[in-house]
Amino acid sequence: MLNLVLFGAPGAGKGTQAAMLTDKYKLIHLSTGDILRKEINAGSDLGKLAQTYTDKGALVPDEVVIGIIQSQIAQNPEAKGFIFDGFPRTIAQAEALDKMMENNGIQITSMIALEVATEELVKRLQLRGESSGRADDQSIDVIRNRIDAYNEKTKPIIDYYDAQKKYRAVNGIGEISEIFNLLCKCVDELK
Ligand code: AMP
């Protein structure tokens, strides 16, 4: 089984690349951001709760996203593997993911980070805000909060996976197809 964590700051290109990797390696794509946006659009209780955080660019509480991932893993017993996109985002989430994997007799194969400099991230998110309806891409303050949350709470996860010898990084700046090729090279070395 190939279980990948695709890691990177907001705007690093995780969603785009995860969709392409999912297609090529026949994995199940689990994006907590996408799942939360669906809940927000549906107006569910979970969505209403999540929106109070996403509107500010803050992280949704660990137990909420851990619960989402737990149920998605349970719903896909036949999966050839998973690609986690936007999860884990805190050390507590990374630890919970390892436990969930262990309980299912599987493990994370690797965490691959897309590296993009902060100023490029801000530019990309502002551009995305102009072309997409994503609420959290519309305001520079919300964009900055998300990048701050990434630097404070998410970046330390690199050390967590590095200690397990699972951390890899690729340059996330360039053509989408170029970056995809780098990621595929990385994944193929894992198999
Ligand atoms: P994303 O589409 O991954 O950028 O996520 C959009 C927003 O959803 C984030 O800014 C957070 O508010 C929330 N979110 C998504 N995934 C997580 C997570 N793993 N932990 C906490 N909050 C999350």
Side-chain angles (χ1 to χ4, degrees):
M1 226 180 165
L2 180 66
N3 296 306
L4 301 174
V5 172
L6 189 61
F7 185 83
K14 297 186 296 294
T16 305
Q17 297 293 341
M20 292 162 74
L21 290 169
T22 301
D23 210 37
K24 173 158 176 167
Y25 295 99
K26 308 289 173 234
L27 305 173
I28 302 272
H29 179 193
L30 296 182
S31 157
T32 39
D34 285 351
I35 295 167
L36 292 171
R37 273 185 292 280
K38 268 192 208 136
E39 296 288 337
I40 291 170
N41 289 336
S44 68
D45 287 345
L46 173 58
K48 283 183 193 137
L49 171 78
Q51 196 171 9
T52 61
Y53 297 91
T54 59
D55 272 356
K56 292 185 284 200
L59 294 184
V60 170
D62 287 335
E63 59 274 20
V64 174
V65 285
I66 290 167
I68 288 174
I69 291 293
Q70 211 151 19
S71 88
Q72 292 288 329
I73 293 175
Q75 281 170 43
N76 288 286
E78 305 294 325
K80 283 180 68 180
F82 295 96
I83 177 155
F84 298 94
D85 158 11
F87 181 93
R89 257 173 156 102
T90 62
I91 297 277
Q93 292 178 24
E95 287 171 349
L97 180 60
D98 272 348
K99 285 214 188 77
M100 282 184 246
M101 295 263 112
E102 204 184 305
N103 291 341
N104 287 281
I106 53 182
Q107 56 171 326
I108 293 296
T109 315
S110 181
M111 181 263 232
I112 310 178
L114 285 170
E115 291 187 321
V116 178
T118 303
E119 282 325 300
E120 172 72 14
L121 297 170
V122 174
K123 263 195 265 165
R124 286 188 190 180
L125 292 170
Q126 284 183 303
L127 271 179
R128 192 168 78 182
E130 287 165 19
S131 61
S132 84
R134 254 186 82 156
D136 57 352
D137 287 338
Q138 305 298 323
S139 135
I140 186 70
D141 290 341
V142 174
I143 288 175
R144 292 270 177 212
N145 283 346
R146 283 153 66 207
I147 293 174
D148 287 350
Y150 168 79
N151 284 325
E152 276 169 37
K153 298 185 175 141
T154 308
K155 232 176 166 182
I157 294 181
I158 291 177
D159 291 339
Y160 179 86
Y161 287 102
D162 199 29
Q164 297 186 12
K165 309 248 177 295
K166 290 183 178 174
Y167 167 67
R168 285 166 186 79
V170 306
N171 179 7
I173 296 190
E175 294 291 325
I176 289 175
S177 59
E178 245 169 50
I179 300 165
F180 182 61
N181 287 339
L182 290 176
L183 285 171
C184 291
K185 209 169 142 237
C186 210
V187 172
D188 290 338
E189 283 168 8
L190 298 168
K191 297 207 299 180

